[in-house]
């Protein structure tokens, strides 16, 4: 079945069902992905579906409302960030149940004009995947939002320090990811990010210490230092 911009949410769901792959579902589970509603659609397949279907914000909302993992991934890839509202982002984030959905959506969210407001809000939220969203947004924006001033990311370092003690796996990895990405952005960002990483590495808190040591290892690597000097 070939999808088009005129395809409905039902059309896309029907197409997704034809691509169900039990082997892929098992593989996803091994990577800690919630597969309770998964069909095992691969990333290249999902990207092809998004290209064929094109952007449609209303259809994306319909896809999200199905609750199906793969339909929700299609929703993320075909939603229009210019039409996303804060409440829609909050609703989606509150329903996240898997790290890979979070990380894909985070890239969409950082294309909105209000993404920085939601970073602080989501970081303060105690739900694991909502808090992960905050730091996945920082990590993604550091790489993809090329026009964003460096000061934006440096200003997020205190937030990273505040939540560096959260021991939950999907939070601590995202906090670490955000810190490393800030430090890798350029020489200007590298200095304060490395300073924070070194402080965390010396922390008495086990989680903060792991985040810091791992970040220091990458931020002081010969390969990265050579790139930043170039």
């Amino acid at each position: 079945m070939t999808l088009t911009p005129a395809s409905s949410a039902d059309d896309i769901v029907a197409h997704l069902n034809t691509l169900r792959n039990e082997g892929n579902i098992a593989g996803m589970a091994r990577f800690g992905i919630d597969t309770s509603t998964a069909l095992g659609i691969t990333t290249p397949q999902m990207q092809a579906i998004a290209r064929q279907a094109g952007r449609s914000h209303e259809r994306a909302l319909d896809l999200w409302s199905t609750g199906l993992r793969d339909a929700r991934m299609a929703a993320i890839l075909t939603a229009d960030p210019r039409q996303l509202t804060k409440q829609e982002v909050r609703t989606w984030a509150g329903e996240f149940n898997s790290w890979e959905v979070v990380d894909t959506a985070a890239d969409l969210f950082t294309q909105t004009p209000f993404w920085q407001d939601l970073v602080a809000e989501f970081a303060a939220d105690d739900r694991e995947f909502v808090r992960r969203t905050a730091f996945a947004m920082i990590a993604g924006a550091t790489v993809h939002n090329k026009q964003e001033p460096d000061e934006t990311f440096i200003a997020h370092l205190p937030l990273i320090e505040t939540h560096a003690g959260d021991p939950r796996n999907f939070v601590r990895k995202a906090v670490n990811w955000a810190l490393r990405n800030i430090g890798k952005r350029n020489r200007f960002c590298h200095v304060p990010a490395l300073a924070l990483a070194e402080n965390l590495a010396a922390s008495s808190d086990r989680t903060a210490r792991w985040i810091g040591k791992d970040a220091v290892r990458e931020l002081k690597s010969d390969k990265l230092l050579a790139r930043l000097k170039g």
Side-chain angles (χ1 to χ4, degrees), residues 15-93:
H15 180 59
L16 290 171
N17 277 299
T18 68
L19 301 174
R20 184 181 180 93
N21 186 309
E22 297 296 336
N24 289 345
I25 294 172
M28 291 164 61
R30 288 193 292 272
F31 281 95
I33 295 171
D34 186 322
T35 59
S36 56
T37 65
L39 298 172
I41 313 300
T42 67
T43 298
Q45 287 176 317
M46 195 63 72
Q47 290 171 339
I49 289 167
R51 284 194 299 271
Q52 292 170 10
R55 289 198 186 275
S56 169
H57 195 65
E58 288 306 312
R59 187 185 60 204
L61 296 177
D62 290 341
L63 285 167
W64 187 267
S65 70
T66 66
L68 301 173
R69 178 265 175 193
D70 300 88
R72 287 186 162 184
M73 291 294 276
I76 293 166
L77 294 175
T78 59
D80 188 342
R82 296 168 300 180
Q83 296 184 55
L84 264 177
T85 67
K86 279 188 178 181
Q87 191 52 50
E88 286 166 353
V89 172
R90 291 185 182 108
T91 298
W92 286 18

Side-chain angles (χ1 to χ4, degrees), residues 140-154:
T142 303
V143 175
H144 301 301
N145 293 19
K146 305 291 187 184
Q147 304 306 313
E148 195 71 48
D150 293 332
E151 289 78 8
T152 294
F153 302 105
I154 292 172

